[in-house]
Amino acid sequence: MKRFAFKMYLKPGMEEEYKKRHAQLWPEMKAMLEEKGVHNYSIYWDKDTNILFGYQEVHGEASSQDGDIPEINRKWWEFMAPLMEVNADNSPVTIDLPEMFHLD
């Protein structure tokens, strides 16, 4: 199991819609994450900077942001693009955060 942390950028004023859409996460999206071995996935919001902090644990070597991207993930990116800073392919702009300390 590997732990991954990353940050993303929420557009100003989009926090309620972002929270609402994640509260209604598509079953196909949830299934895809489970198939990729993603669990213990959380996203936090820093309201002072509009930075989203993502954390996930994955059985395998790649986070949900890496590797072969299933079609359902691309549809989710398109659905979320109006709320976030995104790349040309609608994937969220993400910056990996290296682990500096861990205590079990």
Side-chain angles (χ1 to χ4, degrees):
M1 189 255 329
K2 291 190 101 174
R3 295 180 301 274
F4 292 93
F6 51 92
K7 64 182 179 178
M8 302 173 287
Y9 302 97
L10 186 63
K11 291 180 181 176
M14 295 294 147
E15 58 276 357
E16 288 303 318
E17 185 63 22
Y18 185 91
K19 192 173 180 179
K20 176 184 165 188
R21 290 182 186 195
H22 278 80
Q24 300 169 352
L25 186 65
W26 304 336
E28 309 94 310
M29 187 65 178
K30 185 177 178 183
M32 182 275 302
L33 289 168
E34 290 172 356
E35 287 170 15
K36 287 185 78 101
V38 176
H39 65 282
N40 198 18
Y41 189 177
S42 299
I43 300 173
Y44 298 87
W45 173 55
D46 179 345
K47 66 181 176 179
D48 295 329
T49 64
N50 271 349
I51 290 175
L52 298 167
F53 167 78
Y55 172 83
Q56 58 186 231
E57 295 174 357
V58 182
H59 295 292
E61 295 297 314
S63 80
S64 66
Q65 309 299 310
D66 298 330
D68 185 33
I69 305 299
E71 185 60 28
I72 190 65
N73 208 19
R74 293 184 191 285
K75 288 180 181 178
W76 180 258
W77 288 348
E78 185 177 332
F79 180 59
M80 297 301 292
L83 311 181
M84 307 174 67
E85 289 185 24
V86 297
N87 297 302
D89 66 354
N90 282 333
S91 64
V93 172
T94 58
I95 298 172
D96 291 336
L97 300 171
E99 185 174 284
M100 300 296 283
F101 174 78
H102 176 77
L103 176 68
D104 274 328

